Amino acid sequence: MHRRQFATVLSCAVLCCAVSASAQMGTGRVTGSVHDVEGKPIEGATITATSSESERTLEVTSDKDGKWALLGFRSGTYEFTFSATGFKPQAYKQDIKQMGRNPSMDVVMEPLAPGQSGGAMGGLLDEANALFEQKDYAGAIAKYEAILANEPTLYQVHYNIGSAQRELGQLDEARSSFEKVLEQDPMNTAALVSVGDILVQQGNLDEAVGYFEKAIDQTQDEIVPFNVAEIYMSQGNAAKALEFYQLSSSRKPDWPEAHLKIAYAQVNLGDLAAARASFEKVVAIAPDSPQAQVAEQMLASLPQ
């Protein structure tokens, strides 16, 4: 189950987006803040978001309150890096969507030790990310682990390791890496969803639901509640499935798939009048879609 897509704007001193000429600007927004370990805002920190899929780079600097905002995202997975003079660099991957609210990204940066430079770690991180994009996942893991060996407080790097391990089919190891992120940031949306996905792949649906339900509260993404609904439906719990299908639909009202699944759940619950209305809504919002064809067939078969 890889259907994931994983933003109010806060004022910031500088908003500078460098986008390749061939890449169409998106409308997604991400906001966040940067503070030191004592809770003081870091002004002038550089936040960069890159996506190899769309060949785009977005960059911004934090304001005097440590706040920042980036505009121009298309849906996809982005590599976020945080750097500031005198502080250890940080980086991790995050699923971002173009429509709706993305979770706030609030980062605490640790100071460099006397005489220590953040450049070496930043260069090693670039090397690791490049290996990941080249699908050399084993090589990327080795680089990420080298970063952690030098900077064990950069817990977000465990997410990168987990992503590489998952690509290699090392699901138990990947889950362990994502859990290390959750030990430091228990409501990290990307890590919660990633563990949930792994549990689904392993057939542990009951435990997967727990992770997905936690993630639901951290994001307005429609896919997460939809996946929860799918699990409940597969277990024969149409009432709970309906609840989460409806939540998914409320987040993306024009999504025909959600309305179709709502109708199926209503049929299973014996509420044929409601199911008919839901099937009709599928046809109304997406008349040329495959879902509309199915809905029309179901409407023809329902008793009047």
Side-chain angles (χ1 to χ4, degrees):
M1 186 180 296
H2 294 292
R3 298 176 59 188
R4 304 196 313 278
Q5 299 182 52
F6 282 139
T8 52
V9 176
L10 301 173
S11 63
C12 59
V14 179
L15 176 59
C16 173
C17 299
V19 185
S20 103
S22 63
Q24 181 182 357
M25 281 288 291
T27 58
R29 293 177 289 185
V30 179
T31 64
S33 63
V34 187
H35 292 81
D36 64 18
V37 292
E38 296 179 350
K40 298 177 182 177
I42 300 174
E43 181 179 3
T46 300
I47 299 93
T48 303
T50 58
S51 169
S52 62
E53 295 177 2
S54 58
E55 297 181 351
R56 65 196 295 106
T57 297
L58 305 174
E59 185 173 288
V60 67
T61 57
S62 57
D63 67 9
K64 61 182 178 60
D65 297 316
K67 296 178 180 178
W68 58 272
L70 272 173
L71 172 67
F73 288 92
R74 299 173 68 183
S75 296
T77 301
Y78 287 78
E79 178 76 33
F80 283 81
T81 60
F82 297 80
S83 60
T85 302
F87 292 88
K88 299 176 183 178
Q90 295 191 27
Y92 55 94
K93 294 181 183 294
Q94 179 71 40
D95 290 337
I96 300 299
K97 65 175 183 174
Q98 182 167 259
M99 302 297 293
R101 179 173 62 85
N102 288 296
S104 178
M105 299 179 69
D106 303 306
V107 172
V108 175
M109 301 189 73
E110 295 192 0
L112 291 169
Q116 186 180 23
S117 169
M121 287 298 100
L124 197 57
L125 180 63
D126 289 341
E127 293 176 18
N129 292 338
L131 289 170
F132 188 99
E133 298 303 333
Q134 295 164 12
K135 304 187 185 303
D136 182 358
Y137 302 117
I141 290 171
K143 294 286 187 181
Y144 289 135
E145 289 177 340
I147 293 172
L148 285 172
N150 286 278
E151 302 293 346
T153 60
L154 299 181
Y155 69 88
Q156 296 92 342
V157 175
H158 287 293
Y159 185 87
N160 300 36
I161 292 174
S163 297
Q165 290 167 329
R166 185 169 54 187
E167 293 292 341
L168 291 171
Q170 300 170 355
L171 299 185
D172 290 334
E173 293 84 348
R175 177 182 177 179
S176 178
S177 294
F178 294 133
E179 293 282 10
K180 288 176 182 175
V181 176
L182 295 174
E183 288 173 7
Q184 302 295 323
D185 183 6
M187 302 311 292
N188 185 291
T189 305
L192 287 168
V193 171
S194 295
V195 174
D197 282 346
I198 287 172
L199 290 168
V200 169
Q201 287 181 263
Q202 295 177 329
N204 192 343
L205 302 185
D206 290 333
E207 193 173 359
V209 165
Y211 283 87
F212 286 135
E213 288 187 343
K214 287 181 182 179
I216 285 173
D217 296 332
Q218 310 306 310
T219 177
Q220 287 300 304
D221 189 279
E222 73 281 357
I223 297 298
V224 179
F226 184 90
N227 287 347
V228 172
E230 293 279 85
I231 292 174
Y232 277 125
M233 200 67 174
S234 71
Q235 295 174 329
N237 191 339
K240 289 293 289 185
L242 178 60
E243 174 186 342
F244 286 98
Y245 283 136
Q246 289 174 329
L247 176 58
S248 177
S249 176
S250 72
R251 294 180 174 185
K252 190 175 182 181
D254 61 347
W255 189 21
E257 183 72 13
H259 290 289
L260 183 64
K261 293 301 181 75
I262 286 171
Y264 285 154
Q266 291 165 333
V267 168
N268 276 269
L269 292 169
D271 191 349
L272 300 187
R276 177 174 290 278
S278 295
F279 284 130
E280 290 173 346
K281 190 163 189 176
V282 174
V283 177
I285 64 177
D288 298 324
S289 68
Q291 291 85 2
Q293 296 178 18
V294 174
E296 289 174 340
Q297 293 172 1
M298 292 299 297
L299 284 168
S301 67
L302 287 176
Q304 297 294 328

